[in-house]
Amino acid sequence: MTKTHLPAKFHDAVVKWQQTFLPDYDFLIENWDKYFPRDRQFELCAFRELGICNEVECGDAEGEPKRTKAAALHPEQAGHLLGAIRAQASTEFGSIQQHQLTLARAQNEEEQFWILRMMAEELRHGYQMLHLLLDDDWSSVTDASSEDLVEETLSMRTGSHILGAFNVDFDSFVDNAVFCALIDRVGKYQLNMQRVSAYKPMAESMPQMLREEAFHLAAGVVPLRRWMEQAARELPYVSTSDIQKTINKWFPRGLEMFGDERGGGTNVRFGLKPMKNLEAQDLYIEEVGKLVRDLNMRYIRARIPGLDLAQAEQVLNRILADRGTDQGIAWEDLVHLPDRAFFRRRGVPAFELAGWQGESFEDLPSYLEHLRRHLPDAYRASRDFRHYVEQAQKLTGGEVTLREAVSAMPGLRRVGGVCPCSKSVRWVAETPQSGAAAGDSGSAA
Amino acid sequence: MSETLADVRIRCLEDTDLGHITGIDEKIGGSYRPEVWERRMAYYSRRDPDASVVAESGGRVIGFMFGEIRSGEFGMEEPTGWIEVLGVDPDARGKAIGRQLAESIMDYFRRSGATTVRTMVDAEMVGIERFFESLGFEPASLRPFVKKLSEGA
Ligand SMILES: CC(C)(COP(=O)(O)OP(=O)(O)OC[C@H]1O[C@@H](n2cnc3c(N)ncnc32)[C@H](O)[C@@H]1OP(=O)(O)O)[C@@H](O)C(=O)NCCC(=O)NCCS
Ligand SMILES: [Fe+2]
Ligand SMILES: [Fe+2]
């Protein structure tokens, strides 16, 4: 594995960004040994894996040497790739902004520290994507300068990111955990697919990111399992219904991160990913199904400690088969995988009136009532949810077409002045001043 | 040679394996210890997930082996692969599952530059000792010493 850093002014820009959006970074580093005594210290850098496959692994150019420069790609191919790198960078930085909103609300210090480490690793992932943007010449497919590309990424906020999942606010620490378990899991699929990328620097960037991703999933799943256990013991903290509603909030956004169910063929032809969108989405749904089953098993065994593994599995199977009650445990006490058409705003089922268990609804008011009952209270007070409802109403009223509703994004709602970094901040220094403190060099537009 | 089981896949540990792994441990040791395995999952998934593998057959995990590469311990400067936690479902024993898991991990250790692989086995666990011997492990000169730290002593 090789390790590199961005040119100083871009590195400084990321550090400045970190000081604003990940203020607990220093706390993490200072206390690293308390929670991760044997782990290598975190470092903000880009890693490239050596010895990865040299030949294009899928698509039209299968078997040809992988490209090491964007200029060696077909322009359309390079355009797709650049879009993917920018989107990936946006997700990495975006998720930190979201986690930061509720990080302080964790009940358990260890779990909080896990999330904090995960945030630092997301910063490294964002840094890795900036490294891809800066280490090559993209002028054949964009007019944007290196500075502009970095600036664009670093100036995005919750509300202006490229993918919907990164524009939704967190309301409690349950969001931190469910997001890791569901949204980072989509990330794992994307990284895994990009591991075969015909663009070698992308392929070489994936292995270390994937290693880190394994922990991100655990950092979500372990707290979820603990909450299931506590709920089974009737402790008053996070209920299974809270978890279910939070899954309902994120799962649809996770599905949409795969892209439209009809698409993905171009990426395969270009050798950038080995699977079309629907194929990857199907695998993801199956995997989330396993997670849900695992959580339910954790619950049942805590609720009836006398059952052994096989007996608990039988109880779960009976409850799922008839949606009934077995040994005092009701279907409603457990968590379930939402239907893939539920609460969608993009892709094939966009704006279908599909219930969380696949029920269909005659009219919008009864569907909205259904959403009211199955989404978290705090989320329904959000800008994002309001936007969905308004688009659904306009669509029903014939004011917009489906295509318009799908492509509408929740408006930017952060305004200058609410925080130290108003819109006018530039992250990348125009002219690097020798001797200037790293923290000062990124601002002043 | 032990008979082999068809359709076995050795792959990296995943978070969704937790329930099955806890189940195998329960079958081996007789107690249900989800908290222990949750901690281990959090630990091994952040150490070096490629060095922790499971064997899957028919959609179920039937064996697991967790390890990592460390150096600088006990005066051993060279990178050493450690096999630390393992278990094969008692119903799937003797079918080379353990061997395949170990070979996969050792292959990874080798590719990552480790020159030695080590493990520690309780002398009372004769089966595990035999297992490692069949894989070519030999007793090492490094011996563990223990002392109980009682309060005030
Ligand atoms: C040790 C263990 C991993 C072996 O798994 P397995 O899948 O049955 O082993 P394999 O079939 O791959 O056997 C590989 C070799 O080891 C030998 N072996 C395995 N278990 C053995 C035993 N109990 N006695 C003698 N030899 C044994 C096999 O004969 C085979 O040798 P061969 O290939 O030369 O014929 C399994 O028995 C186990 O999980 N034991 C309990 C582990 C435990 O207690 N873990 C908790 C502490 S971390
Ligand atoms: Fe990431
Ligand atoms: Fe992640």
Side-chain angles (χ1 to χ4, degrees):
Chain A
M1 207 153 63
T2 64
K3 183 176 91 180
T4 48
H5 292 98
L6 300 182
K9 73 168 174 178
F10 297 112
H11 183 90
D12 291 349
V14 177
V15 169
K16 168 112 169 117
W17 188 96
Q18 166 265 305
Q19 288 162 348
T20 306
F21 292 108
L22 184 46
D24 296 317
Y25 179 86
D26 293 339
F27 180 78
L28 170 75
I29 302 300
E30 280 157 25
N31 293 280
W32 186 268
D33 286 343
K34 179 173 172 196
Y35 289 101
F36 314 120
R38 293 157 81 178
D39 299 10
R40 189 178 56 198
Q41 268 276 357
F42 175 82
E43 190 183 348
L44 186 59
C45 62
F47 288 116
R48 294 256 198 116
E49 190 87 353
L50 298 172
I52 63 140
C53 178
N54 279 317
E55 283 88 45
V56 177
E57 294 165 67
C58 61
D60 296 344
E62 191 173 337
E64 290 177 23
K66 280 194 175 167
R67 317 297 195 239
T68 54
K69 289 282 166 207
L73 296 165
H74 186 275
E76 208 188 326
Q77 198 179 10
H80 257 257
L81 179 63
L82 179 63
I85 296 172
R86 286 162 108 163
Q88 182 81 40
S90 155
T91 67
E92 308 292 359
F93 289 105
S95 66
I96 298 169
Q97 293 167 326
Q98 291 167 295
H99 279 287
Q100 182 62 34
L101 289 171
T102 47
L103 177 67
R105 299 182 204 168
Q107 285 177 335
N108 175 311
E109 199 187 329
E110 179 191 48
E111 292 166 6
Q112 185 176 38
F113 221 75
W114 288 348
I115 296 292
L116 185 54
R117 170 177 171 152
M118 181 277 304
M119 292 163 72
E121 287 173 349
E122 300 301 5
L123 186 71
R124 204 197 69 69
H125 295 180
Y127 192 92
Q128 183 88 30
M129 291 300 109
L130 296 184
H131 159 72
L132 294 182
L133 293 177
L134 295 170
D135 205 48
D136 204 342
D137 176 8
W138 299 93
S139 59
S140 60
V141 283
T142 176
D143 295 333
S145 64
S146 302
E147 280 82 0
D148 289 344
L149 289 172
V150 173
E151 189 66 46
E152 173 204 59
T153 304
L154 295 184
S155 49
M156 289 180 193
R157 308 291 306 273
T158 314
S160 65
H161 281 285
I162 296 174
L163 300 175
F166 300 86
N167 292 325
V168 178
D169 284 334
F170 285 20
D171 302 306
S172 82
F173 197 70
V174 182
D175 279 318
N176 297 75
V178 172
F179 189 93
C180 283
L182 296 186
I183 304 299
D184 283 60
R185 195 176 303 277
V186 182
K188 179 185 84 169
Y189 274 82
Q190 301 293 8
L191 302 182
N192 230 330
M193 290 192 280
Q194 287 166 359
R195 208 211 284 254
V196 310
S197 182
Y199 181 60
K200 207 167 178 211
M202 178 66 124
E204 288 172 341
S205 295
M206 294 302 114
Q208 182 58 20
M209 286 173 74
L210 269 163
R211 281 181 206 115
E212 288 160 352
E213 215 54 58
F215 173 63
H216 300 181
L217 297 180
V221 169
V222 171
L224 281 170
R225 286 174 58 108
R226 290 173 174 172
W227 287 325
M228 291 300 284
E229 190 267 342
Q230 292 170 9
R233 288 195 290 124
E234 297 191 344
L235 292 175
Y237 306 119
V238 180
S239 68
T240 57
S241 157
D242 294 331
I243 294 174
Q244 181 68 63
K245 287 179 177 178
T246 311
I247 291 174
N248 293 351
K249 168 180 173 181
W250 292 107
F251 185 67
R253 302 291 80 79
L255 295 179
E256 287 164 359
M257 283 169 69
F258 286 92
D260 191 289
E261 283 87 347
R262 291 157 290 205
T266 314
N267 272 325
V268 178
R269 266 197 301 113
F270 285 162
L272 300 175
K273 286 182 185 176
M275 266 186 267
K276 291 189 191 180
N277 299 346
L278 181 62
E279 276 175 275
Q281 198 194 53
D282 280 344
L283 291 175
Y284 171 78
I285 292 174
E286 195 184 314
E287 191 171 311
V288 178
K290 274 194 213 167
L291 166 65
V292 163
R293 187 172 170 91
D294 184 50
L295 293 176
N296 286 334
M297 284 296 290
R298 187 80 172 87
Y299 179 91
I300 291 174
R301 296 213 57 188
R303 186 89 179 249
I304 316 176
L307 297 180
D308 68 19
L309 176 67
Q311 290 166 332
E313 282 192 325
Q314 284 164 9
V315 169
L316 176 58
N317 291 342
R318 285 196 296 267
I319 296 170
L320 296 180
D322 58 7
R323 296 201 173 193
T325 299
D326 201 286
Q327 316 242 352
I329 302 177
W331 188 85
E332 291 77 14
D333 294 339
L334 302 175
V335 291
H336 306 282
L337 186 69
D339 189 84
R340 66 196 300 163
F342 172 69
F343 190 41
R344 293 284 301 273
R345 51 172 74 163
R346 280 168 178 266
V348 170
F351 293 100
E352 276 180 16
L353 307 183
W356 79 291
Q357 284 303 304
E359 317 87 305
S360 50
F361 290 81
E362 294 285 299
D363 54 65
L364 187 60
S366 49
Y367 187 58
L368 295 181
E369 170 56 20
H370 176 77
L371 292 184
R372 190 187 65 73
R373 282 188 286 117
H374 295 286
L375 289 170
D377 290 353
Y379 173 65
R380 287 184 291 100
S382 73
R383 184 98 171 183
D384 187 74
F385 182 64
R386 186 180 188 95
H387 179 264
Y388 171 86
V389 172
E390 286 173 359
Q391 291 304 315
Q393 284 166 338
K394 285 183 184 167
L395 183 65
T396 321
E399 289 171 58
V400 294
T401 64
L402 180 61
R403 182 185 285 266
E404 285 163 345
V406 164
S407 55
M409 286 278 276
L412 253 179
R413 54 44 201 274
R414 309 251 185 214
V415 287
V418 290
C419 93
C421 49
S422 71
K423 287 190 291 193
S424 60
V425 168
R426 276 190 68 85
W427 298 101
V428 182
E430 303 280 353
T431 45
Q433 290 157 13
S434 60
D440 298 333
S441 60
S443 63
Chain B
M1 281 291 285
S2 34
E3 69 168 296
T4 54
L5 198 69
D7 92 309
V8 175
R9 189 162 79 95
I10 308 292
R11 57 161 173 81
C12 288
L13 169 69
E14 288 177 6
D15 59 289
T16 45
D17 299 329
L18 254 175
H20 287 168
I21 290 171
T22 308
I24 294 173
D25 172 58
E26 187 179 3
K27 260 175 149 176
I28 295 174
S31 55
Y32 174 57
R33 308 186 299 165
E35 299 85 1
V36 169
W37 293 98
E38 281 161 1
R39 295 198 148 272
R40 286 186 177 163
M41 173 65 73
Y43 180 81
Y44 286 99
S45 68
R46 70 170 193 260
R47 296 289 302 175
D48 185 355
D50 295 333
S52 294
V53 293
V54 301
E56 190 184 75
S57 171
R60 283 193 89 84
V61 171
I62 54 170
F64 58 89
M65 196 171 282
F66 303 168
E68 59 175 297
I69 296 175
R70 297 200 296 269
S71 54
E73 285 182 330
F74 313 114
M76 297 180 292
E77 287 311 317
E78 82 279 11
T80 301
W82 284 88
I83 293 180
E84 295 177 332
V85 192
L86 79 172
V88 170
D89 188 325
D91 296 331
R93 297 255 173 101
K95 299 189 165 81
I97 303 299
R99 175 179 287 276
Q100 290 178 65
L101 288 165
E103 278 169 0
S104 159
I105 287 201
M106 290 191 291
D107 185 46
Y108 171 73
F109 286 159
R110 214 176 288 119
R111 280 185 283 117
S112 308
T115 47
T116 317
V117 53
R118 292 177 186 265
T119 189
M120 296 238 238
V121 181
D122 191 322
E124 283 170 22
M125 300 180 113
V126 183
I128 302 185
E129 210 171 287
R130 291 280 142 72
F131 167 71
F132 280 112
E133 280 167 3
S134 316
L135 296 175
F137 283 65
E138 295 165 0
S141 57
L142 194 72
R143 273 177 52 201
F145 279 74
V146 188
K147 176 178 157 61
K148 277 260 183 285
L149 291 173
S150 51
E151 252 170 80

